Amino acid sequence: MESIVIHGGRKLEGTLHVQGAKNAVLPILAACVLVNGVCVLHNCPVLTDVAAAIEILRCLGCKVRREGHTLIVDARVISRCSIPDSLMREMRSSIVFLGAMLARLGAAQLCMPGGCEIGSRPIDLHLSALRTMGVTVQEQNGNLCCKVPNRLHSSVIRLAFPSVGATENVMLASAFAKGRTVIYNAAQEPEIEDLADFLNACGCNVRIDAGAVRIDGVDSAHDAEHTVIPDRIAALSYMTAVAACGGDVCLKDVRTAHFASANEVFRQAGCELDISATQLRIRSNGCLRAVEHIKTQPYPGFPTDAQAAVMAMLCVAHGTSTMTETIFENRFNHVPQLRRMGAVIRTKGCEARIRGVKRLSGAHVHAVDLRAGGALITAALAADGVSVIEGVDHIDRGYETIEACYRTLGADIERSAGSGKQQSKQKQPVRQL
Ligand code: EPZ
């Protein structure tokens, strides 16, 4: 089983290009199902979740070709309306294909996505919204059989929670619905805006304003070319490593407006930030201050996906920080692993209290979910000694060539074919800036 081996304690310096956004490219790939044509998508990161989405498209009958970070998706022929359980289980966010399949095909069979390491991840908001639009949904033995008896009709959808996935599913399902569909209390994440931009490039008619999304149905969608936005969560993960290790790093090709709420946390922790629209320079002397209270919230609040990595950074801050996770019910899986490295963290329900220590110590740890993996890398880079991180498959779901990225910044980090005990190491090609 692969592992990542890190000799910690080195400062990080240099320039890093930030990958395209996983959580933007996934719904945009699903949206390609709407298009009876060919779409060209740039800045698509090489991730296992993206590979899973490509497999779903191919399984539905699409042709998909990758040329570097560009994906060419030909959805002129869609030959089936079901997604195999194996692919649904590989990536629970496959549920976002549902809306596009209903709009294009009028039917969809797929298994319930099920929960994952960070929570039960129900889809009740998705299904109640689709039922409102005229979809019949049969749930049997963990499978979903969805049909559109007539044409999907435009509706007013009021989401009980600004669910990202539910917002995306309704945007896709309503693309061809007659009339105007309005989603109130919609998610406002940048990835939603990127999906709307892609849909409009395909000839759809989607407008976002003040927490509502308005979709005016069109008859069809056509070829489009689109560049996926940068990954704000990957950017924040790299920032936590620079903050914790100390150093001076410039992140390029980012959209700093997409993570403004988190930047304030780094300033409070004692980092210096120079920010322009598409670049961010972060400097840290490695001596951080605790941050009194961080609460994850829907966008534009502090992002839940950055909670683990920021916690790792605060493990070596001077003083006690408090973090409250309000989005997912089980998103502290990284805590026991951080404790193995010497972190002093107490959790009670959705609240974690982190009492900073002078140094963490390298240890053999296991990433149990994607963002926990990013957090363990941050902690290991800052720790004294050697860390071996297993569960690399989780990390590869959302971080492209993460070792190569950190190596360009001066980190001593390798992917090991074995469980970290063997020294046979594989170097990954460094993505050219
Ligand atoms: C998206 O997940 C992201 N994934 C997540 O990123 C991210 O953490 C999350 O949005 C919140 O920002 C992708 O975009 C692929 P939600 P999603 O629906 O759509 C509850 C990562 O690490 N809920 O906004 O699944 C749900 O249980 C991943 O990159 C319902 O109760 O998130 C959760 O508590 C992790 N019923 C909360 O809402 C529903 O029908 C937020 O879920 C849907 C959601």
Side-chain angles (χ1 to χ4, degrees):
M1 174 169 58
E2 281 190 322
S3 60
I4 289 177
V5 182
I6 295 173
H7 292 68
R10 298 168 73 140
K11 283 193 180 307
L12 299 178
E13 289 169 343
T15 298
L16 189 61
H17 164 88
V18 174
Q19 70 186 55
K22 166 180 85 78
N23 292 348
V25 71
L26 293 177
I28 288 172
L29 285 169
C32 290
V33 170
L34 295 171
V35 179
N36 181 2
V38 179
C39 293
V40 179
L41 307 176
H42 301 294
N43 203 29
C44 298
V46 179
L47 303 169
T48 50
D49 269 9
V50 174
I54 291 169
E55 278 318 299
I56 290 174
L57 285 170
R58 286 177 175 149
C59 177
L60 295 176
C62 302
K63 294 192 185 77
V64 186
R65 193 172 79 249
R66 180 183 273 277
E67 292 176 0
H69 286 91
T70 294
L71 289 174
I72 298 99
V73 182
D74 180 345
R76 281 174 289 191
V77 175
I78 302 276
S79 51
R80 66 185 279 185
C81 62
S82 64
I83 299 176
D85 294 5
S86 56
L87 284 176
M88 281 300 291
R89 271 195 287 276
E90 194 173 331
M91 185 182 66
R92 63 165 314 283
S93 52
S94 315
I95 191 66
V96 77
F97 278 84
L98 176 55
M101 291 163 74
L102 291 170
R104 175 82 183 268
L105 308 167
Q109 280 89 40
L110 57 170
C111 69
M112 292 287 279
C116 67
E117 306 79 9
I118 62 175
S120 57
R121 312 293 292 274
I123 59 168
D124 55 310
L125 300 178
H126 298 240
L127 300 184
S128 59
L130 293 172
R131 285 186 172 109
T132 304
M133 296 175 65
V135 179
T136 60
V137 180
Q138 279 178 336
E139 299 175 54
Q140 203 168 21
N141 309 327
N143 292 309
L144 284 174
C145 182
C146 304
K147 284 200 178 69
V148 179
N150 307 308
R151 185 173 176 178
L152 278 163
H153 51 75
S154 55
S155 314
V156 174
I157 306 289
R158 296 181 193 285
L159 290 176
F161 178 87
S163 156
V164 171
T167 301
E168 291 164 346
N169 247 332
V170 174
M171 287 168 72
L172 298 178
S174 59
F176 304 146
K178 196 169 174 42
R180 170 171 287 186
T181 296
V182 184
I183 311 169
Y184 290 111
N185 197 28
Q188 303 178 56
E189 273 70 1
E191 293 77 24
I192 299 286
E193 188 182 350
D194 204 30
L195 175 60
D197 289 346
F198 172 71
L199 289 171
N200 289 333
C202 297
C204 296
N205 193 337
V206 184
R207 293 287 168 273
I208 296 177
D209 56 58
V213 180
R214 290 171 173 71
I215 307 101
D216 291 321
V218 296
D219 292 334
S220 63
H222 55 65
D223 301 2
E225 187 161 4
H226 180 80
T227 298
V228 173
I229 57 171
D231 195 312
R232 60 195 170 102
I233 305 303
L236 288 168
S237 301
Y238 293 123
M239 288 169 68
T240 62
V242 180
C245 297
D248 182 350
V249 165
C250 179
L251 297 180
K252 296 186 71 173
D253 309 320
V254 289
R255 298 268 282 279
T256 50
H258 289 170
F259 49 99
S261 62
N263 287 336
E264 197 38 45
V265 165
F266 287 90
R267 287 201 175 93
Q268 287 176 29
C271 298
E272 277 184 75
L273 302 184
D274 300 325
I275 298 176
S276 71
T278 59
Q279 287 196 25
L280 180 142
R281 180 182 179 189
I282 176 168
R283 279 174 285 178
S284 163
N285 60 11
C287 302
L288 299 175
R289 297 190 292 265
V291 177
E292 192 176 345
H293 186 210
I294 299 170
K295 183 176 175 183
T296 65
Q297 290 175 306
Y299 193 88
F302 183 88
T304 174
D305 293 346
Q307 178 256 108
V310 166
M311 185 185 290
M313 164 183 108
L314 295 173
C315 286
V316 290
H318 179 72
T320 298
S321 308
T322 301
M323 297 188 85
T324 305
E325 172 55 58
T326 69
I327 307 294
F328 290 104
E329 70 268 28
N330 186 35
R331 203 166 200 177
F332 286 152
N333 298 315
H334 41 287
V335 170
Q337 305 300 317
L338 291 170
R339 285 181 181 139
R340 288 170 61 85
M341 301 176 80
V344 179
I345 306 170
R346 274 190 306 113
T347 60
K348 188 175 177 199
C350 65
E351 187 171 284
R353 278 179 168 265
I354 306 104
R355 183 159 59 79
V357 295
K358 199 150 180 52
R359 303 291 293 185
L360 293 173
S361 308
H364 202 128
V365 291
H366 197 98
V368 290
D369 67 65
L370 163 58
R371 302 307 174 185
L376 293 176
I377 289 180
T378 287
L381 289 168
D384 289 333
V386 182
S387 295
V388 176
I389 301 172
E390 293 186 1
V392 179
D393 52 319
H394 289 292
I395 297 170
D396 290 340
R397 285 188 44 222
Y399 295 101
E400 182 182 14
T401 63
I402 194 162
E403 315 88 274
C405 290
Y406 278 123
R407 241 195 327 270
T408 58
L409 302 178
D412 182 343
I413 177 172
E414 300 285 351
R415 181 179 293 245
S416 166
S419 60
K421 294 189 179 66
Q422 295 138 5
Q423 291 314 310
S424 67
K425 296 174 182 175
Q426 294 162 346
K427 277 195 186 293
Q428 282 195 335
V430 176
R431 181 177 179 187
Q432 299 311 318
L433 293 181

